[in-house]
Amino acid sequence: MNLSYRVYHVFVRNLVSYKRFVVPTFIASLVQPLFYLITFGIGMGAYVGLFGGKPYLFFLVPGVLMSAVGLTASYECLFGTFVKMIHEKLYDSLIATPVSAEDAVAGDIAWGVFRGLISGTLMMAVAMAMGVFPVSVPAVLLLFVCMIFVGVLFGSLAMIVTSLAPNFDFFNYYTELVLTPMLFFSGVFFPLDNFPAWMKTFSKFLPLTPAVSISRAVFSGVYSTALIFDFLFIVVLEVIAFTIGVKLMKRRLIK
Amino acid sequence: MSSIITAKNLTKRYGKFTAVDGISFEIQEGECFGFLGPNGAGKTSTIRMIHCVSPVTAGTLTVKGLPCSIDNRTIKKTTGVIPQEITLDVDLTVRENLMVFSRFFDIPRREAKTRVEELIKFVELEAKRDSKIDQLSTGMKRRLLIARALINQPTLIIADEPTTGLDPQARHLIWQRLRQLKSQGVTLILTTQYMEEAQQLCDRIVVMYQGKILKEGTPRTLIDEEIGKDVVEIRISQDQDEKLIGSLAGFSCGHERVGDTLFFYCRDGHDIRKKLVELDLPNTVHRPATLEDVFLKLTGRSLIE
């Protein structure tokens, strides 16, 4: 794996080009959480009553936060990277410079993480405006660390899909058949307690589930040792996904 | 002059398809070396291996003594690439394209700013400095690609069909710029399908066909050796061939029938010219031999797709 500090150069390239898309993406990143939190939080919250002694919104925010980060990073590394690779042929000119294919792909994953963090931060702002706060300032920092790990994980998973995609339509399989269903099996909208045992086991192995657990603990202030395993699970999965994603992308870029 | 690039039995295969089939060549420092050949001859595959974006399947290839491999950042650092396809960053302006690219070579910001202004002037894009890429004509885009290839002040420039699809004005401007670079001591590698381009720019050329090098030499010697000095084209029906070839037999010319035309390739066209006047044939063209004649003779006249 031929990685270097040039990952940063690729990240900056994305940042420079982002200037033109800042407004539309900020609006999208703001409207989406508002939509989730208002419809589910307030609309559904009225029916489900209190969750562990608090309004439903308090249950919802930590999960939706993590899924927003994961989804944003995914979309960036699916559609964003595909356009740069196939339509704009940006990677072709990158790898003719001292930037290696690995640097270029990692730079795009880093970019996906950054975009995820923007979404997460905006969502957190909305949640705070609605009265949902993490328990403390260190808890917020912990949350950001968690968001970075989630971003790298989902960005890397998306890279694997992008490296195999013959065209845009291929992404529908991943977004509709993998990402969207995953939201419902990861404890984002409701607890998994009432699932049959096999479904509970299944959901434990989904990449979003441990992230949601950690996020929820950070918001509620109720920590347990199981969270360490959740975190390790994310890290291990992330290292594997990153390695495979970068390798497959390199195979596609270099012929 | 010392050689800057050495290839021995260089081979490139994509799966079962052999794109470059064991070719050997040497490129001298400061010269302009041209790869000529029809589509699919293996020109682009060869130069992609030289600038280290495509792995060598077999054989050896060195640039400045260093073996080419896709992870060789040292070679990439001092090489400028003008790609065949327009790979500009469409999200950025002309100036931003150059500034962002300068980062990839670790050029300090202040130095980069000076170089970018110089390069914009060099390719005459001052008026378009802050335009987006889709506001540029094809000729402007190609010029920007040249400027981008120069941002790292390369000592080796690789141009893959740099004037494809350009109008004559734009083409001549690009030729001038490339000659200017060569006069500054830069080594230039060019692939082209335009024989005029090769004749204008190249000190030495190789003609490639089906992954192999057919001939190597200066444009002049290739023309002399393969064709001669003069070409006579006579548009005449085929049943007249025998008679005509007979009456021109004394001039020791090679001949070839292609479609509706009979070609004569001659060492000395002086006497044949007189004879042609005597024969008083309609539809005759008498002209100096060009590289295009060499190209067509070596690679065949049928369409290659």
Side-chain angles (χ1 to χ4, degrees):
Chain A
M1 182 115 7
N2 188 20
L3 274 173
S4 73
Y5 63 89
R6 293 172 185 86
V7 171
Y8 172 70
H9 294 330
V10 179
F11 177 84
V12 172
R13 180 264 150 206
N14 288 325
L15 194 63
V16 174
S17 84
Y18 186 53
K19 282 193 306 206
R20 295 188 176 75
F21 314 112
V22 166
V23 175
T25 55
F26 260 65
I27 291 172
S29 295
L30 261 177
V31 170
Q32 211 191 3
L34 272 173
F35 167 77
Y36 272 113
L37 296 182
I38 291 174
T39 55
F40 279 91
I42 297 175
M44 207 154 99
Y47 285 95
V48 296
L50 294 182
F51 253 67
K54 282 184 175 172
Y56 177 58
L57 199 58
F58 284 76
F59 180 85
L60 190 64
V61 165
V64 173
L65 183 64
M66 285 301 145
S67 48
V69 175
L71 289 181
T72 307
S74 297
Y75 281 108
E76 194 56 41
C77 292
L78 294 171
F79 298 95
T81 300
F82 194 79
V83 167
K84 281 181 252 177
M85 174 169 69
I86 302 294
H87 299 274
E88 299 180 356
K89 302 191 184 303
L90 182 72
Y91 278 97
D92 289 345
S93 36
L94 276 176
I95 59 171
T97 74
V99 174
S100 69
E102 289 93 330
D103 294 336
V105 177
D108 259 10
I109 293 176
W111 177 247
V113 176
F114 180 75
R115 288 289 311 277
L117 284 180
I118 293 178
S119 288
T121 310
L122 288 170
M123 175 159 286
M124 195 118 95
V126 171
M128 285 177 174
M130 294 170 90
V132 182
F133 293 92
V135 282
S136 63
V137 176
V140 176
L141 292 178
L142 203 62
L143 212 51
F144 269 98
V145 172
C146 192
M147 286 200 270
I148 291 172
F149 277 90
V150 169
V152 176
L153 174 55
F154 279 86
S156 304
L157 288 170
M159 276 300 173
I160 297 176
V161 179
T162 304
S163 74
L164 304 170
N167 50 44
F168 261 134
D169 301 323
F170 186 78
F171 293 139
N172 286 336
Y173 293 117
Y174 185 61
T175 57
E176 303 305 318
L177 299 178
V178 179
L179 286 179
T180 310
M182 186 172 63
L183 295 182
F184 297 97
F185 286 97
S186 302
V188 175
F189 302 110
F190 46 85
L192 303 171
D193 305 343
N194 293 332
F195 275 172
W198 69 269
M199 268 167 83
K200 266 194 243 180
T201 316
F202 170 71
S203 71
K204 265 197 190 125
F205 289 99
L206 293 174
L208 194 58
T209 315
V212 172
S213 307
I214 295 173
S215 175
R216 198 153 280 147
V218 172
F219 269 93
S220 66
V222 182
Y223 300 101
S224 71
T225 44
L227 295 177
I228 295 170
F229 293 103
D230 284 334
F231 183 70
L232 285 177
F233 180 67
I234 294 177
V235 172
V236 170
L237 211 56
E238 180 167 300
V239 170
I240 295 171
F242 182 82
T243 312
I244 296 176
V246 171
K247 285 236 161 92
L248 286 178
M249 278 295 282
K250 183 176 183 177
R251 203 184 64 179
R252 179 157 190 178
L253 293 171
I254 292 180
K255 290 199 176 83
Chain B
M1 281 204 291
S2 57
S3 72
I4 184 171
I5 294 168
T6 311
K8 287 200 188 86
N9 297 318
L10 183 63
T11 303
K12 178 74 201 180
R13 276 190 288 269
Y14 301 102
K16 281 190 177 143
F17 174 70
T18 304
V20 179
D21 194 0
I23 62 172
S24 301
F25 58 86
E26 272 191 32
I27 299 174
Q28 308 301 318
E29 202 169 343
E31 77 172 332
C32 176
F33 191 87
F35 287 93
L36 269 64
N39 291 332
K43 309 181 298 279
T44 301
S45 292
T46 304
I47 60 163
R48 281 171 61 82
M49 289 189 278
I50 296 175
H51 72 88
C52 300
V53 295
S54 180
V56 173
T57 310
T60 55
L61 177 63
T62 59
V63 174
K64 295 167 196 162
L66 302 166
C68 289
S69 78
I70 48 161
D71 292 329
N72 196 327
R73 298 189 208 251
T74 320
I75 293 177
K76 290 177 183 176
K77 218 166 205 159
T78 55
T79 305
V81 181
I82 306 167
Q84 192 174 15
E85 286 180 277
I86 292 169
T87 58
L88 295 164
D89 204 324
V90 291
D91 297 333
L92 309 179
T93 66
V94 167
R95 197 178 162 280
E96 285 171 340
N97 256 279
L98 298 173
M99 283 306 289
V100 163
F101 223 68
S102 75
R103 269 178 190 282
F104 302 148
F105 292 94
D106 293 310
I107 301 164
R109 296 277 289 161
R110 186 185 296 186
E111 170 69 19
K113 277 183 189 162
T114 327
R115 281 193 207 175
V116 166
E117 290 312 315
E118 281 169 13
L119 286 172
I120 287 176
K121 208 174 282 171
F122 183 71
V123 295
E124 299 180 22
L125 284 174
E126 293 102 319
K128 295 283 176 183
R129 180 184 282 110
D130 297 310
S131 301
K132 286 191 70 178
I133 300 309
D134 54 17
Q135 292 163 338
L136 304 184
S137 69
T138 313
M140 291 172 178
K141 288 178 190 165
R142 290 240 168 245
R143 269 141 63 195
L144 182 55
L145 283 174
I146 293 185
R148 196 182 71 174
L150 298 176
I151 193 80
N152 55 329
Q153 300 183 324
T155 52
L156 170 66
I157 292 175
I158 295 176
D160 193 2
E161 301 191 8
T163 61
T164 300
L166 294 189
D167 59 33
Q169 283 85 352
R171 176 173 304 167
H172 278 272
L173 179 65
I174 285 183
W175 287 345
Q176 264 169 25
R177 290 296 171 265
L178 291 175
R179 272 198 297 263
Q180 206 171 330
L181 290 167
K182 209 190 134 235
S183 71
Q184 292 164 10
V186 169
T187 309
L188 199 61
I189 299 176
L190 185 79
T191 78
T192 186
Q193 302 190 28
Y194 299 121
M195 299 308 120
E196 199 198 342
E197 185 160 284
Q199 236 159 346
Q200 284 260 359
L201 297 171
C202 296
D203 301 313
R204 275 193 314 140
I205 55 173
V206 290
V207 179
M208 283 189 80
Y209 186 52
Q210 294 180 337
K212 290 197 161 70
I213 290 178
L214 299 180
K215 282 284 173 209
E216 185 198 316
T218 68
R220 196 64 256 166
T221 54
L222 279 183
I223 296 169
D224 282 347
E225 283 170 15
E226 293 300 318
I227 303 293
K229 235 167 110 67
D230 295 273
V231 176
V232 175
E233 295 180 23
I234 304 168
R235 273 188 245 314
I236 194 166
S237 69
Q238 199 154 0
D239 45 301
Q240 307 266 337
D241 278 14
E242 211 171 315
K243 198 174 130 220
L244 206 55
I245 291 164
S247 65
L248 293 172
F251 300 101
S252 68
C253 295
H255 60 83
E256 185 184 11
R257 157 65 68 175
V258 181
D260 63 350
T261 308
L262 187 61
F263 287 82
F264 287 92
Y265 306 119
C266 305
R267 295 274 152 225
D268 181 7
H270 190 72
D271 292 331
I272 202 168
R273 205 174 313 171
K274 277 196 257 173
K275 180 74 183 176
L276 283 174
V277 175
E278 212 174 285
L279 288 172
D280 194 26
L281 295 162
N283 293 325
T284 330
V285 181
H286 177 256
R287 56 174 176 80
T290 66
L291 210 47
E292 190 141 328
D293 297 309
V294 179
F295 185 85
L296 289 173
K297 187 183 169 196
L298 291 175
T299 63
R301 286 179 186 269
S302 55
L303 274 178
I304 297 152
E305 278 166 328

